[in-house]
Amino acid sequence: MSGHGAPDIDLAGTDASGLRVAVIASSWHTVIMDGLLDGARRALADAGVEAPRVVQVPGSFELPVAAARLAPTADAVVALGVVVRGGTPHFDYVCSAATQGLTDVAVRTGVPVGFGVLTCDTEQQGLDRAGLPGSQEDKGYEVAAAAVRTAALLRSLGA
């Protein structure tokens, strides 16, 4: 269920068995987050990942520090969050910090970090991307699929 030119990440043929995957979910916007988390869990199950570690953090700003702690013991990390634009610059700071922080974790550790932070102007945009009934996109699934496909690729490349 990808949209607007996004590729469908086909998990057929992806052997993710034995991969250790951590999923970090923020607490804000619970309906959207429930959809994202459900999508991520479905993708991981489709790829053969057993028992992903799921942890919750207060908000999207806290995703990078949790990712940094979990990355050394994981083959992939999936970071899920929602930031909805408000009337202050807070949106810009949180989005920038989450993006830079998660990128830094991936590059520094060599562990794929799926970037599932929805940056929305309205809550409806988040609902449209959350993989819920009536949603146009399933970003939780897409992000987890991308992270696990990348981890499987890295495993196939060896050390």
Side-chain angles (χ1 to χ4, degrees):
M1 173 188 338
S2 65
H4 309 304
D8 281 321
I9 299 175
D10 184 9
L11 290 172
T14 300
D15 178 16
S17 60
L19 289 180
R20 299 161 300 160
V21 179
V23 179
I24 310 165
S26 70
S27 301
W28 284 76
H29 305 283
T30 55
V31 172
I32 297 168
M33 288 305 306
D34 288 348
L36 292 174
L37 191 52
D38 181 59
R41 285 182 168 135
R42 280 186 287 104
L44 296 175
D46 287 353
V49 174
E50 296 179 15
R53 182 173 186 186
V54 179
V55 298
Q56 192 170 32
V57 295
S60 293
F61 188 82
E62 290 77 25
L63 290 169
V65 70
R69 178 63 58 94
L70 292 166
T73 60
D75 297 302
V77 174
V78 178
L80 304 171
V82 181
V83 186
V84 178
R85 187 178 300 279
T88 69
H90 180 75
F91 173 89
D92 299 314
Y93 298 125
V94 172
C95 294
S96 178
T99 302
Q100 186 59 49
L102 292 170
T103 300
D104 179 62
V105 169
V107 171
R108 186 173 40 79
T109 65
V111 173
V113 176
F115 186 79
V117 180
L118 303 184
T119 55
C120 308
D121 289 324
T122 66
E123 188 168 355
Q124 185 59 52
Q125 288 177 341
L127 293 167
D128 289 341
R129 299 166 74 197
L132 299 166
S135 293
Q136 297 171 2
E137 299 177 82
D138 190 349
K139 290 299 183 187
Y141 190 99
E142 292 175 21
V143 167
V148 80
R149 283 278 308 268
T150 304
L153 169 70
L154 294 177
R155 178 170 65 183
S156 75
L157 296 175

